[in-house]
Amino acid sequence: MILDLISVMVHKMLKPVVILALKTVYRNIDLIRKDRIPKEGPVIFVANHPTAFIDPVLLAALQDRTVHFLTRGDYFNSRLFGAFLTLLHVRPLYRLNESGFAKVKTNLSTFNLLFHPDGKRETILVSVEGNATHEKRMRPVKKGAARIAFDTLESGGFEEIYLVPVGFTYTYAEQFRSQVMMIFDDPISGSDFLEIYRENKARGITALTEEIKKRLEDNVVILNRDREDVAEAFFVLYRSDHPRPFWPVITHQEEQLSAEKAIGDGVNAMDDQEYHRWNELQKAYFTALEQAGLEDATLVRKNAAGLLNTVMLIAGFLPAALGYLWAWLPLLPGKYLAEQKVRRLEFKISVQMGVGLGAFLVYTTLWLLISLLTANIWIAVLIPVLFAAAYFCIWYEELWHKWRQDYRLHRLPLQEHGTLIILREQLAAGLKALLPPAAP
């Protein structure tokens, strides 16, 4: 009971900090159809799993209901580590091949406790693909979520349990300042499949699992392995033609996800000859861009190397430099570990964010202690100013990058510039044919 109270306090204190960290890591977060989440009653979030830890962090931070996460039961063999995981709302899930039948029998009591602690029903997240893999594809959906739903209904304590599909699509999950699109589908009523389950358990579990799979496939971008190059080229053009503002980071728009799904589906449907034609064209275009040292967005955006931006870069240099110096030290360990020690893409941004956030909390606490011990209130006052300067540094760096790109474009020979424009227009014609009618 005490541990649960501490856990609630920890989450309430950490949630605003985590949201700020997410707004720093990602350039845009599209939080789509959040209103589909039932406001009460037991809920199982069933999600695809492109990244190791970011998916659950996004879900826990950006919606209002308390979420618990399931992990291997043997992680709780250590009482100290088990208590730490409990603070983070992580709960044990025992598997027959890992823990034996006696432990597996305790799973149902765990689910009942999660869904009905002291009369307050909560939620759990089940990543239905199992292990995390960063790819724009759906892997086989495991049957665990369906089993949890039926076991909970059969226990007799609940008339209904909802399974809410959550689709995660990342532009580049391993990169800092990329984008994530997170969409919720209509809840699936577990009771709708209960009659099938009671007639034949295996058939009921399969039917519910197939419904989960279908819902997720309808809400995430899926690319065939031999169609990725052209699809990614079209994604780049679409994002350049539809630039997103620096602020707000979190929005609720669905247009980009719908467009990128249409692009992916259209490229997947191409025959080999058509795909080869577009692939040769995109290779020619992006090779020419690389040789010129340019990016696609540079060709279509307004002049970023104009007088106003030049003045802003000069005037903003000092606060940006202060913000960089303030943030450099605590962010260094996470960046080093992500780049030098982490091999799998699925873990890179998770490690960088997790270690960076932890280091920042320690770093800030140390400065506050110094302020307290030296009775120097100006240090405490300066800390939020330096945080603001660090966030300003992100905007400044992006503006500086655009300024340099446009400066290169202005120095590009007219003939090379014209060739790039022609190649892009040819490629954009293929993109336009794939977009849904509502898209500009």
Side-chain angles (χ1 to χ4, degrees):
M1 185 65 181
I2 294 176
L3 195 60
D4 288 337
L5 290 173
I6 295 174
S7 177
V8 170
M9 292 174 60
V10 168
H11 276 258
K12 284 186 176 180
M13 289 188 295
L14 281 181
K15 191 169 183 175
V17 179
V18 171
I19 291 175
L20 179 60
L22 289 170
K23 288 181 176 181
T24 304
V25 170
Y26 291 102
R27 202 181 195 289
N28 297 107
I29 301 173
D30 290 333
L31 186 62
I32 306 166
R33 302 182 198 164
K34 191 176 74 166
D35 59 326
R36 305 292 172 91
I37 304 171
K39 290 185 169 33
E40 57 184 26
V43 169
I44 302 174
F45 290 110
V46 286
N48 63 320
H49 199 23
T51 72
F53 307 115
I54 297 295
D55 308 337
V57 169
L58 283 164
L59 182 64
L62 299 181
Q63 55 83 45
D64 300 327
R65 297 200 59 174
T66 302
V67 184
H68 295 267
F69 313 100
L70 302 177
T71 192
R72 291 174 48 167
D74 54 358
Y75 289 160
F76 287 77
N77 290 341
S78 165
R79 295 183 66 179
L80 182 61
F81 189 54
F84 173 72
L85 291 175
T86 301
L87 280 177
L88 299 179
H89 285 180
V90 180
R91 298 294 185 265
L93 178 66
Y94 296 101
R95 301 173 183 174
L96 187 62
N97 62 339
E98 296 168 352
S99 308
F101 184 70
K103 284 285 190 180
V104 170
K105 289 195 298 183
T106 67
N107 285 338
L108 183 56
S109 61
T110 298
F111 305 147
N112 285 335
L113 178 65
L114 290 177
F115 290 136
H116 200 15
D118 298 328
K120 181 184 177 183
R121 296 175 183 178
E122 301 187 65
T123 69
I124 61 173
L125 167 66
V126 178
S127 298
V128 294
E129 294 176 297
N131 294 328
T133 300
H134 173 43
E135 55 185 13
K136 291 186 172 72
R137 269 177 291 281
M138 277 294 300
R139 288 166 289 128
V141 174
K142 308 295 184 182
K143 297 180 178 180
R147 290 194 176 97
I148 293 172
F150 288 130
D151 285 347
T152 304
L153 288 172
E154 288 286 85
S155 70
F158 307 94
E159 294 181 2
E160 185 60 274
I161 185 168
Y162 295 104
L163 298 96
V164 177
V166 188
F168 292 97
T169 297
Y170 297 81
T171 51
Y172 306 103
E174 76 284 1
Q175 291 183 14
F176 181 70
R177 301 297 291 167
S178 60
Q179 296 172 262
V180 56
M181 293 159 273
M182 177 181 172
I183 184 169
F184 299 90
D185 204 341
D186 291 323
I188 303 169
S189 297
S191 62
D192 289 349
F193 295 82
L194 195 54
E195 185 177 344
I196 304 174
Y197 176 79
R198 285 171 175 166
E199 290 176 358
N200 185 304
K201 289 187 176 183
R203 191 154 55 88
I205 290 171
T206 299
L208 182 50
T209 302
E210 285 299 315
E211 180 65 17
I212 293 169
K213 178 176 181 289
K214 177 182 178 301
R215 296 285 196 93
L216 286 174
E217 287 178 342
D218 289 342
N219 287 289
V220 297
V221 175
I222 296 175
L223 300 179
N224 296 342
R225 291 186 185 277
D226 59 346
R227 294 291 188 264
E228 291 179 326
D229 292 343
V230 170
E232 287 294 343
F234 283 151
F235 291 155
V236 170
L237 263 67
Y238 176 82
R239 294 164 195 159
S240 298
D241 289 337
H242 301 80
R244 306 286 292 273
F246 185 84
W247 194 266
V249 176
I250 300 175
T251 65
H252 305 285
Q253 72 168 47
E254 194 173 342
E255 289 80 4
Q256 181 170 341
L257 178 60
S258 297
E260 296 200 10
K261 269 195 62 61
I263 293 168
D265 293 343
V267 173
N268 288 338
M270 290 179 179
D271 60 40
D272 291 344
Q273 184 175 359
E274 183 183 11
Y275 179 83
H276 178 74
R277 178 166 61 88
W278 290 116
N279 197 29
E280 291 302 310
L281 181 58
Q282 70 88 12
K283 284 180 182 177
Y285 172 62
F286 283 99
T287 298
L289 272 180
E290 185 178 2
Q291 290 173 347
L294 297 174
E295 297 171 351
D296 174 69
T298 308
L299 295 183
V300 296
R301 67 167 165 251
K302 294 180 180 178
N303 181 20
L307 178 61
L308 178 60
N309 284 342
T310 303
V311 171
M312 290 174 68
L313 286 171
I314 295 171
F317 175 77
L318 183 57
L322 288 173
Y324 177 83
L325 292 173
W326 161 257
W328 175 78
L329 184 60
L331 292 180
L332 185 61
K335 185 178 181 181
Y336 171 78
L337 289 172
E339 292 179 356
Q340 303 297 326
K341 301 298 182 181
V342 179
R343 296 290 174 251
R344 291 185 58 187
L345 293 178
E346 298 82 10
F347 289 84
K348 282 186 177 294
I349 199 71
S350 300
V351 169
Q352 187 169 353
M353 177 179 165
V355 175
L357 179 58
F360 243 119
L361 290 173
V362 173
Y363 186 64
T364 306
T365 302
L366 287 175
W367 278 109
L368 289 173
L369 285 174
I370 292 172
S371 172
L372 182 63
L373 293 173
T374 60
N376 189 336
I377 193 173
W378 289 109
I379 295 178
V381 171
L382 190 60
I383 287 174
V385 174
L386 290 172
F387 267 111
Y391 200 81
F392 172 77
C393 181
I394 297 172
W395 174 86
Y396 184 90
E397 187 176 5
E398 291 182 0
L399 180 61
W400 168 237
H401 177 75
K402 291 176 183 178
W403 191 95
R404 286 186 302 162
Q405 281 281 299
D406 279 20
Y407 181 74
R408 285 179 187 171
L409 181 63
H410 293 156
R411 295 172 60 87
L412 193 69
L414 190 61
Q415 184 175 359
E416 290 184 36
H417 189 175
T419 300
L420 287 173
I421 294 296
I422 292 171
L423 288 172
R424 192 185 195 279
E425 288 178 348
Q426 292 173 344
L427 200 56
L431 167 64
K432 185 178 180 181
L434 299 177
L435 291 174

